Amino acid sequence: MKSHASGLRRSRLRQFFRVALRFWAGQSRWRAWGLTLAVLLFVAAQLGAAVGINSWNRLFFDALEKRDLDKIWTAVGWLPLIVAASAASLSCLVISRMLLQMRWREWLTHRLAGWWIADQRYYRMQFVAREQSAPEYRIAEDVRLAIEPLVEFAIGLLSAFVTAVTFAAILWQVAGSAHFTLGGTEIVIPSYMALAAIVYALVASLAAYFAGRPLVPRIAAKNEAEAQFRAEMTRLRENAESIALIKGDADELDSVGENYGRVVAAWLKVIRQQGVIAIVLNTNGALFPIVPLLLIAPKYLSGEITLGAVMQVVAAFSAVQAALIWFVDNFVRLAEWFASVRRVDELAEALEALDVGTIMEGETQIELGESEDGGIHIADLSIAHSNGRIVIADASIVIAAGEKVLVAGESGSGKSTLIRAIAGLWPWGAGSIKLPPGKRIAFVPQKPYLPIGTLRDVLLYPEAESRVDDDTVRDALKRCGLASLGQRLDEKERWDQTLSGGERQRIAFARLLIQKPDIIIMDEATSALDEASQDSLLGLIESELSYATIISVGHRPGLEDFHERKITFEKREAGAHLTTKRLTRSLWRLFRRREAANDSAAA
């Protein structure tokens, strides 16, 4: 089990770096390498400043021991220059590091967000990767938590290595060897201070590793619980009205409490493990300044080295030891970083699996093509769920250009799934769907999407940049029963929360009048309207967009008078079967429809 988990961990890191390190290739490579070289330059400058401070320590304390006032003032004179160089190099290192973090995160965010949004993967993922909770949080937050610490770790690890080598050389040169007699035999340990620093750091690092190894999965579990809790709260907010109407407050409070209980349980496991790690870190912190003094004291007492050399050796030992126990100091952050890396890679893995799964379907995938006569051709179409269960079996339909078709059938028979397949959102199945090329297609769902922005942006969406004069927009609103909104075109609102369900559906019909598509596909597009309003809007579409091909999913009997043909889904075990029949229009309904359309036009 442990080896499997370890292999999984290496795989997660490898796959994450396989994606993330592409920042140093392609179009972003010049910026990436420029920032990297700047960071390396200032790391070297910072190390040079540290060596300068170490040498200053010996100069100053030697002068202090000898009570040499001239040398003391000389050392004091050098101090401002050394401090200024250290401060300047550190400041430049911070700036270059933050720029590298920001640009790398920007690049990876654009890559993952683009991958997630392109080709409706954000939609299809909910069917094939339900376990990937809150992908938007993984992109917005986990990418940051994976990139920002990684840059700091890389700089810290590089600095630790170079610092360890540099100051180990100083220890080797200044502290010399240790000489002592054991059983009449003189024993010499060359560069004993450097060796002591390495041994001490190794012991401390191993202690931190074994104490903190369980922290990685516990932090991952904590982050997952936090994400699920946020998703639960978001679901509550998005369904606030429905919950309030049925007075589901108590149940929702219980659900929130249960979800937060999982967060608390996950945090308690993290806290317990960090308590164990704190024992190791605090023990190291207590011994850190004492060990080098004890090791170098015999040489000072014997007169082999000066006070300045003692201070230089202690500072160098501390620098070597601090560099070598970098892992100890950063173990908790490394665990948190890896948890975020794993969540980012899980999202990338889900996106890859989604793409591979679609490609692997091969011959069983629904084929999308172009028709030659302006109609919609559905041939030998079988639609399945992502788990393979057949929803619609062997359907063949031809919808001529300009034809109005009503799709009906019992709930769960596959009507909305057919709409998704026509929209190209549902690849699972077999057969072909051919649409006329170059035609504008408008999809009108039961709950129209209203983006954040001005009312004008909402009405022109998804072509908000298109130029449409105000009179045209206001006329469309007026004819769809929303004349009162005509003076609010430039107001910014959360229109999805401001408008009622019926008003949102009227907005969708106003869009149709403004954008004038060639094909209109509606899925319960009038469900929030009364029958008279439904007749008015459909009559308006029939008169204004008579050339358009219309496919409507709906249940109301009154819908039949606005369509020429009805396709009925008959639910069966082996997949829904489709039957079709021509519709006749009653004179009374025809008269009523035209009257409603005239009333709407005159309003």
Side-chain angles (χ1 to χ4, degrees), residues 124-141:
R124 286 189 281 147
M125 184 177 288
Q126 63 184 314
F127 299 105
V128 299
R130 297 179 186 273
E131 72 282 359
Q132 297 301 314
S133 59
E136 68 282 0
Y137 177 81
R138 295 175 189 242
I139 294 173
E141 188 65 12

Side-chain angles (χ1 to χ4, degrees), residues 60-68 72 300 305-309:
F60 179 78
F61 281 100
D62 277 346
L64 198 64
E65 183 182 32
K66 296 176 182 178
R67 295 178 173 79
D68 189 334
I72 289 176
Y300 176 72
I305 59 173
T306 64
L307 178 62

Side-chain angles (χ1 to χ4, degrees), residues 547-569:
Y547 59 85
T549 303
I550 296 178
I551 302 175
S552 298
V553 174
H555 296 88
R556 288 179 175 173
L559 291 172
E560 294 186 0
D561 288 296
F562 296 91
H563 299 84
E564 302 163 0
R565 186 155 55 112
K566 181 177 182 180
I567 298 173
T568 303
F569 282 61

Side-chain angles (χ1 to χ4, degrees), residues 525-548:
T526 59
S527 60
L529 300 170
D530 59 83
E531 193 168 351
S533 298
Q534 171 187 276
D535 289 353
S536 173
L537 291 174
L538 291 178
L540 187 60
I541 295 300
E542 185 180 47
S543 61
E544 293 292 322
L545 303 175
S546 58
Y547 59 85

Side-chain angles (χ1 to χ4, degrees), residues 229 232 235 250-260 262:
F229 179 66
E232 175 73 8
R235 184 195 62 79
D251 286 342
E252 292 302 322
L253 182 59
D254 290 341
S255 178
V256 169
E258 182 180 348
N259 271 279
Y260 192 68
R262 297 191 188 100

Side-chain angles (χ1 to χ4, degrees), residues 9 12 15 44 59 73 116 156 169 184 312 409-410 430 432 449 599:
R9 184 175 306 172
R12 288 289 181 208
Q15 293 303 319
L59 176 65
W73 281 112
W116 179 52
Q312 186 180 22
E410 62 181 299
S432 66
Y449 172 65
D599 290 343

